[in-house]
Amino acid sequence: MAGESGVLLVIDVQNDFCPSGALAVPRGDEVVPIVNRLASRFPNVVLTQDWHPPDHLSFASAHPGRKPYEIVTAPYGPQVLWPDHCVQETPGADFHKSLRIPHAGLVLRKGIHRTIDSYSAFYENDRKTPTGLVGYLRERNLTEIFLAGLAFDFCVRYSCEDARREGFEAIVIEDACRGIDVGGSMARTSEILTEIGVASLSAEDVV
Ligand SMILES: [Zn+2]
């Protein structure tokens, strides 16, 4: 299925996003064997890793009096506040221990700047500051992006949007994703992905 121009983009399969993690995505760990199997079919794989400094602006703990899942106004727009998660060099930021993708060519860390969050693998939350992934994919002639990982309604969604905005083909592998669902965000994500021309496949279709 994946031709030479295909790349599997695996979003944030990290301990803190799995059950018992700091920002657990329900059943997030279920994607691990699916993603492993998918990755074995792709010569080209990119992993992203949410990787925040300890006092990151997206943490509710950095905003006295505010609680996780409240929304604040950051200089670049609305920002959901999260429990502290994926702090650099902590076990929560490690990839899930059963994730086995030794041939991944790139591990891209995002959310590394204290004053801005990054849901998308391509741009930080101002939608302008690039992570460098567009350049990497263009230079390698990778034009068809297959997306999997966590969380469907945040980092996978925004990565799909930016992939389309940059003119890439984007295919989301829905059963290789799990979501958080804050205020109807799962349904909204499915609508948006359809609107912007993101195809949806199952892992079975790809493998
Ligand atoms: Zn984060």
Side-chain angles (χ1 to χ4, degrees):
M1 173 80 207
E4 277 181 11
S5 59
V7 58
L8 180 66
L9 180 56
V10 179
I11 304 289
D12 298 357
V13 182
Q14 294 167 259
N15 291 329
D16 271 344
F17 295 126
C18 290
S20 84
L23 177 41
V25 176
R27 302 183 294 125
D29 56 334
E30 290 178 4
V31 306
V32 174
I34 304 170
V35 166
N36 284 344
R37 203 155 63 95
L38 275 171
S40 70
R41 302 300 177 102
F42 282 82
N44 300 298
V45 182
V46 172
L47 309 180
T48 69
Q49 189 173 26
D50 211 31
W51 191 254
H52 299 309
D55 51 352
H56 193 246
L57 156 142
S58 77
F59 296 168
S61 64
H63 304 261
R66 308 308 293 262
K67 290 198 199 63
Y69 308 105
E70 289 181 9
I71 295 171
V72 294
T73 304
Y76 50 82
Q79 171 68 49
V80 180
L81 296 180
W82 304 107
D84 293 20
H85 65 280
C86 297
V87 175
Q88 294 166 1
E89 298 190 293
T90 63
D94 288 343
F95 289 115
H96 188 285
K97 66 177 184 333
S98 300
L99 193 70
R100 289 277 178 284
I101 313 181
H103 62 291
L106 176 69
V107 175
L108 182 112
R109 287 172 167 170
K110 60 186 182 63
I112 57 175
H113 302 119
R114 193 186 65 78
T115 55
I116 186 165
D117 203 4
S118 188
Y119 293 154
S120 163
F122 296 92
Y123 289 95
E124 302 197 45
N125 281 9
D126 60 0
R127 315 302 294 270
K128 288 198 276 274
T129 307
T131 63
L133 183 58
V134 170
Y136 175 87
L137 296 175
R138 292 240 164 88
E139 196 165 14
R140 307 244 358 256
N141 295 318
L142 300 170
T143 55
E144 249 185 319
I145 307 177
F146 294 76
L147 294 102
L150 308 171
F152 176 71
D153 42 345
F154 286 89
C155 294
V156 174
R157 168 189 162 177
Y158 286 98
S159 297
C160 284
E161 289 188 22
D162 285 343
R164 294 295 295 145
R165 193 153 65 98
E166 286 295 336
F168 295 107
E169 223 179 297
I171 304 100
V172 66
I173 305 166
E174 284 211 36
D175 57 335
C177 301
R178 294 290 182 278
I180 301 177
D181 207 12
V182 179
S185 55
M186 287 294 279
R188 182 79 194 113
T189 297
S190 295
E191 283 170 17
I192 286 173
L193 297 190
T194 305
E195 270 167 32
I196 62 176
V198 173
S200 173
L201 288 178
S202 72
E204 209 52 45
D205 298 329
V206 179
V207 174

